[in-house]
Amino acid sequence: TLPIGILVSGRGSNMEAIAAAIEAGEVPARIQAVISDRPEARALELARERGLKAFCLAPGEYPSRQAYDLALATALKKEGVELVALAGFMRLLGREFLEQFPGAVINIHPALLPAFPGLNAQRQALEYGVKFSGCTVHFVDAGMDTGPIIAQAVVPVRNDDTPETLAARILAEEHRLYPRVIKWLAEGRVELRGRRVIVRS
Ligand code: GAR
């Protein structure tokens, strides 16, 4: 099984979906640690309730972004993590971090990238007026939501959608897509060809 680490900042519903899929035997991975950059993250409580190792590393306690990134990478290495999954982790990771986990950091974003990167992606989609949105799981590079795309799921935008109703429709797809991608990675079926990601059947 693939040893994974999950980075969180808030609610933790994607962390829960991944943990549930692993517990159900659907994904050949094991969660070595759940780490938050915010001590009050609900995700930490939920992880502990599942018996997972979960702790906070607070950026304020480090002298620089580089020092924080290095501490985060060191903590994940210490837990034996080989794949890092960002699940609502609201910080950009620098090269110091990414160099420690080449090709092994993934993120989920609530839009069809490259549309609507960054914050409030669901609100951005509504304001732009697109008729479909969705979610994207991608490899993380040093940019903001710019890395190679592994998988996407599409949802319709409805006439009466608010950012909240659209976010809920997208979230349901996130919870299906993210465990599936981790399964593919754990099975060694994902190959990077330039910017294109091939998933072997
Ligand atoms: C999810 O919708 C995720 O896609 C989004 O934050 C939410 C976290 O929810 N991530 C981003 O916007 C990253 N730019 P969760 O904590 O319940 O998984």
Side-chain angles (χ1 to χ4, degrees), residues 7-18 42-43 46 86-91 107-111 116-122 134-136 138 144-145 167-168 170-171 174-175 178:
L7 299 186
V8 296
S9 297
R11 180 177 55 185
S13 73
N14 277 290
M15 181 278 298
E16 286 268 278
I18 295 163
R42 173 94 175 109
L46 292 171
L86 313 187
F89 185 68
M90 300 312 255
R91 282 177 64 85
N107 179 46
I108 189 155
H109 182 75
F116 316 126
L119 293 177
N120 301 316
Q122 304 94 336
C135 54
T136 303
H138 63 93
M144 162 96 86
D145 301 324
I170 292 171
L171 194 65
E174 294 185 45
H175 295 164
Y178 215 176

